[in-house]
Amino acid sequence: MSTVPTLNGQVIGQAHYATRALLERTIAPLGVEFHQLLALNVLANGPVEQAQLTQRITSTLKVDEREVRRVLTTLVDADLAQSDPDTATRLRLTDAGRAVQARIADAVAGISARLYADIPPAEASAAAQVLTLVTQRANAELAATEHTGAGNASIAA
């Protein structure tokens, strides 16, 4: 007899970490780490102010600004990103960065196609709605605890 698990942080986390491990294994031959992947994906849409890019990555990955600066420095050092010639405060992809990001996008598309195949569209949509709501609520709680300096940590999320 199969039982359906209860939707909770553990189930969501297991899906996240399994998917992330698969993605990291796929991008490792490209010499790209997970945090760099997000920056490359953002930069694929065109030059971005470094402050905006930093805010996007810190809010998405829940890492501090020092980690984001490290990530951006490694992208520049690897010649995957560079300062925009129009303004030094913006970063943009180099030709090499665009090529790597395109390979990453292809890899992500392949992984997604395999993992989400056969999931009925209505179920996928419902899951996306629920996960979006959970993310919004968690972000709201994080923002509230940042302002008060207090946290309500719970292991049984």
Side-chain angles (χ1 to χ4, degrees):
M1 173 164 82
S2 175
T3 61
V4 176
T6 301
L7 179 62
N8 59 33
Q10 183 177 13
V11 169
I12 294 168
Q14 288 172 345
H16 163 76
Y17 286 116
T19 304
R20 180 173 169 171
L22 183 58
L23 179 59
E24 286 178 335
R25 184 178 299 162
T26 303
I27 65 172
L30 299 175
V32 176
E33 62 185 60
F34 185 78
H35 291 177
Q36 292 172 322
L37 175 146
L38 180 62
L40 290 169
N41 285 343
V42 173
L43 292 170
N45 295 316
V48 178
E49 290 291 331
Q50 288 188 43
Q52 180 184 358
L53 182 57
T54 298
Q55 190 281 327
R56 171 99 181 256
I57 295 171
T58 58
S59 67
T60 300
L61 295 177
K62 311 302 184 229
V63 296
D64 64 23
E65 289 185 17
R66 186 178 63 211
E67 170 61 10
V68 177
R69 285 192 299 274
R70 182 198 68 78
V71 167
L72 299 180
T73 298
T74 62
L75 291 176
V76 170
D77 290 349
D79 193 35
L80 299 177
Q82 66 185 22
S83 293
D84 189 319
D86 296 333
T87 174
T89 61
R90 291 192 317 184
L91 282 180
R92 68 181 183 93
L93 291 179
T94 62
D95 290 342
R98 275 189 289 285
V100 167
Q101 194 282 327
R103 290 181 65 191
I104 290 168
D106 287 344
V108 169
I111 290 169
S112 296
R114 292 188 307 277
L115 296 182
Y116 299 114
D118 304 334
I119 296 176
E123 289 182 28
S125 179
Q129 290 173 355
V130 168
L131 293 174
T132 299
L133 180 60
V134 169
T135 301
Q136 290 168 347
R137 289 177 179 175
N139 283 334
E141 284 200 29
L142 285 168
T145 59
E146 285 175 6
H147 297 301
T148 63
N152 186 9
S154 174
I155 293 177

